[in-house]
Amino acid sequence: MGRKVTVAISTLNQWALDFEGNLARILQSILEAKDMGASYRSGPELEVSGYSCEDHFREPDTYLHSWEVLLEIIMSPLCENMLIDVGMPVMHRNVAYNCRVIFLNRKILLIRPKMAMCDTDDYRESRWFTAWTKAFQTEDHFLPRMISQHTGQDVVPFGDAVIATKDTCIGYEMCEELWTIKSKHIDMSLSGVEIMVNGSASYWELRKSHILSDLVRTASLKAGGAYLYSNLRGCDGQRMYFQGCSNIAVNGEIVARGKQFSLQDVEVTLATIDLEQIRSYRVSQRSRCLMSASAPSYPRIICDFEMSTHNDIFKIASTPIQWPLHSAEEEIALGPACWLWDYLRRSGQGGFFLPLSGGVDSSSSAAIVHSMCRLIFQAVQAGDAQVLHDVRKILADQEYTPTKPADLCNRLLVTCFMGSVNSSIETKQRASSLANQLGSYHIDINIDTAINALLGIFISLTGLTPRFRSQGGCARQNLALQNIQSRIRMVLAYIFAQLMLWVRNRPGGLLVLGSANVDESLRGYFTKYDCSSADINPIGCISKTDLWKFLNYAKDQFNLPILESIIDAPPTAELEPLQDGQLIQTDEEDMGMTYAELNKYGRLRKQSCCGPYSMFCELVATWKSDLSPAEVADKVKHFFRCYAINRHKMTVLTPAVHAESYSPDDNRFDHRPFLYRANWSWQFKAIDNEVEKLQPFYTPCSTNIRPSSEDLLLSHGDTTQRTSHTDSKHSSPLSSPSMDVPGASTAAPITTTSALVGTGSGSLGSLPKKSSGYAKVHVNVLGKIKDRTGIPV
């Protein structure tokens, strides 16, 4: 009957500049699509070169090798009698474009350049490519001689056009063109295009995947027709993890989709589309018909090819399916784990080394590695030959086959508890128990000898002995003694990472894993070049509140009961002396703010683009039931002082998989200065002026009672509520609100309560006795922050 077409989209795990590997994966996707009966195959954005080549897109070699790969694809017998498009960079008239190349039976039909560049967040496309701005126009593109010799073509159309086969019409968008306010699929639809194709490189971010599915679905709903969306998956050489989720929608319904997280390098998703359903859907929308009748026409490239067959009456058109969404906890378990696997197998290293403190953050990193091992085991059990090959290559054992995730974890992960005289017995026991349940190769060392040796050098030179604050020392001495512990741990982590496989009679070395979360990076609550300095960090862009939820999830899903006590453990860095074996240091008291507040500050600063004054204006309304304008002002000023003093630490953040939209990573995502005037004199004066105006109108609520720690609960689904806690950090802040300040000795001590859990930019939790969910804590902090010279700011 000639009305049903079978089309295929590809999800590929490509690698920047891996032309050989990228070619193999593209050809495999074409072979699988053909074997499944598809007459059309599409792939993700820049699949030939890899998306994250970055400044390599300025090198002629990248374009040369891309054409060489394209020639191999075009000439392959696998591609005969199939309409195919691939993504690659193309230089046209000395301008670089991000393009789709469409070909059939060794003839290039069209080169379609991208018409909207993505320059937000992690993307910098305009640095390397130029948007094609000549709508509805094409030009002649002169092909390289190596292509002309085999295709017999000297020039091909280059520009904004569509492909007209004997039975339908196909148009193209690329990634950002779907997201932009004026998407091209509207014009294409009105011009009669029935199948819209999008090759994309969309990265994973917590709670984002539903946006992608909604965009694809609504594009086909509003315009009518079929929308084919192919996306990259995996780590192709950067901090991003491309999230897959390739899907096909018809007339507003998802009819086929690929997986979001998987170790599978090549995944082909198929759908059969009834063209008459598209035509019937469109003709029934009378307002659309009127607009279509007056719409401008696209240049059409005539293609002597039928995508349907005359006996397709026996084919069944794909029916709508439900789009399953992962919870945030599942995303944390899967996304960073897949990213770690890609990084490990492509780095040539033999596994991971993780300083395991027994707190939430390092335990989260360990649990993510365990999740990676579970995914590997499942893939091997399912018969994935590539995953098994990669495991054997990493372990240098061609006979090895994992029998259970814990066995694989023992070979890939070395954990180490680096205790000192300031470490409690409880943290040591928690670290050991977690390692045992994970299956990691665990070691336990004491770092006091190394600390005393370094201090001995200082003492012998100066004749002075620094002391902790509790022993009569000043703030500078106290901070230096904390930081030396943190930095020693970093040095020891690297020597053990380089030599532990030698100890275990295996070749190679280990990648050092970091475990600093996004909130502490934002606040600067870590020591520069301490054990937060690592090769890669699986949780560096995940908030503390999300990590608590993840550990609750991992406790049950991965059968790790020790995580219960880790979540309930007191939050402490364990860098100051114990008193009678008990902890006296807490993270939130050191920071002068709760993690719930940090989450709120971070989202306002990045997502809402708030400076000090606008953040105060936002929070004075949000927290009006709990805090006076003056108290809100104190909190905002304290945050921005800490932020300014510690911003320089963002320049040395360990590369982390991007997962959170308020990440302070200035290497890629958050471009801001790292040298600030820390007193924010003009901005803080504007806040003070506003407080002076608002204070007469502020009436304290009669029920404003300072909540107890039991009031601040961490919720996780239907599980029992528990008090929130933080990780024991092998780090300390550059400057602390608890430092001694001249003239401030009589100030009331700062108290702290547990953090609230947040799920977005709004309220981060619920207080039974308060409407806004924020505690009246850490408000008397002005004048207690010093700069690096010890001068109050």
Side-chain angles (χ1 to χ4, degrees), residues 591-644:
M591 292 192 298
M593 59 190 71
T594 67
Y595 283 104
E597 292 166 341
L598 255 179
N599 192 291
K600 187 68 174 177
Y601 298 144
R603 295 186 184 281
L604 288 174
R605 180 199 67 95
K606 177 65 176 177
Q607 295 175 333
S608 301
C609 301
C610 287
Y613 175 77
S614 52
M615 184 180 291
F616 164 78
C617 293
E618 180 74 23
L619 292 177
V620 78
T622 305
W623 294 347
K624 63 183 177 182
S625 298
D626 299 335
L627 303 174
S628 69
E631 290 172 324
V632 174
D634 281 357
K635 282 179 171 287
V636 172
K637 291 178 182 179
H638 176 52
F639 165 73
F640 274 100
R641 280 194 173 101
C642 296
Y643 174 80

Side-chain angles (χ1 to χ4, degrees), residues 73-383:
I73 298 171
I74 290 177
M75 300 306 296
S76 172
L78 297 176
C79 301
E80 290 180 0
N81 299 318
M82 175 182 279
L83 189 57
I84 296 171
D85 72 84
V86 297
M88 61 178 276
V90 176
M91 189 84 72
H92 175 69
R93 298 184 180 179
N94 299 327
V95 178
Y97 294 96
N98 179 349
C99 296
R100 305 302 300 177
V101 180
I102 302 94
F103 63 92
L104 171 70
N105 291 335
R106 297 182 173 86
K107 298 290 184 181
I108 295 176
L109 303 177
L110 171 68
I111 301 177
R112 202 282 194 177
K114 193 171 184 177
M115 301 184 70
M117 296 291 102
C118 187
D119 293 307
T120 56
D121 299 330
D122 276 314
Y123 294 110
R124 302 286 182 273
E125 288 182 355
S126 291
R127 180 177 173 88
W128 308 295
F129 299 114
T130 300
W132 180 259
T133 57
K134 301 175 183 178
F136 304 98
Q137 296 182 45
T138 64
E139 297 175 349
D140 286 341
H141 177 78
F142 288 82
L143 293 172
R145 283 172 291 179
M146 72 174 83
I147 303 295
S148 297
Q149 289 172 0
H150 290 85
T151 66
Q153 300 170 286
D154 292 322
V155 296
V156 295
F158 185 102
D160 186 22
V162 297
I163 302 294
T165 66
K166 289 184 175 181
D167 44 13
T168 189
C169 189
I170 306 168
Y172 297 88
E173 287 187 326
M174 296 178 66
C175 200
E176 181 68 9
E177 294 176 59
L178 173 62
W179 298 73
T180 190
I181 191 170
K182 192 176 180 181
S183 295
K184 296 297 293 183
H185 64 257
I186 300 297
D187 289 334
M188 288 191 293
S189 163
L190 295 176
S191 187
V193 172
E194 295 176 332
I195 299 175
M196 293 161 281
V197 182
N198 188 320
S200 184
S202 179
Y203 65 81
W204 167 68
E205 197 171 86
L206 281 170
R207 306 174 184 90
K208 174 189 172 184
S209 59
H210 75 282
I211 300 176
L212 174 58
S213 63
D214 287 347
L215 284 171
V216 173
R217 184 181 56 80
T218 55
S220 68
L221 174 69
K222 188 173 184 179
Y227 201 100
L228 280 56
Y229 180 87
S230 298
N231 197 24
L232 289 169
R233 177 194 288 140
C235 167
D236 75 340
Q238 258 294 351
R239 293 167 172 82
M240 298 181 292
Y241 176 82
F242 296 109
Q243 68 170 349
C245 293
S246 299
N247 63 93
I248 299 173
V250 178
N251 295 342
E253 299 283 357
I254 303 293
V255 298
R257 67 175 294 273
K259 293 186 271 307
Q260 181 174 12
F261 304 110
S262 174
L263 304 187
Q264 191 176 353
D265 280 346
V266 177
E267 181 185 19
V268 176
T269 303
L270 209 70
T272 297
I273 301 165
D274 191 331
L275 298 175
E276 293 300 331
Q277 289 181 358
I278 294 173
R279 294 158 187 165
S280 174
Y281 181 88
R282 287 180 171 179
V283 78
S284 65
Q285 298 178 353
R286 303 312 304 159
S287 60
R288 181 200 174 280
C289 292
L290 180 62
M291 297 180 66
S292 179
S294 59
S297 296
Y298 265 89
R300 294 198 174 201
I301 310 300
I302 305 302
C303 176
D304 186 16
F305 181 67
E306 288 182 284
M307 294 176 60
S308 58
T309 62
H310 292 288
N311 60 352
D312 63 16
I313 190 171
F314 297 106
K315 289 185 177 181
I316 299 175
S318 301
T319 56
I321 62 173
Q322 293 297 315
W323 181 282
L325 295 176
H326 293 289
S327 66
E329 297 89 333
E330 291 173 321
E331 288 189 284
I332 294 171
L334 297 171
C338 293
W339 184 80
L340 283 180
W341 171 242
D342 282 345
Y343 199 100
L344 175 62
R345 67 195 180 112
R346 289 171 173 173
S347 68
Q349 298 302 300
F352 301 111
F353 182 91
L354 173 66
L356 187 62
S357 71
V360 168
D361 288 351
S362 61
S363 298
S364 296
S365 292
I368 288 171
V369 175
H370 182 72
S371 176
M372 181 197 78
C373 293
R374 293 171 65 92
L375 291 172
I376 295 170
F377 176 73
Q378 292 167 7
V380 172
Q381 290 291 99

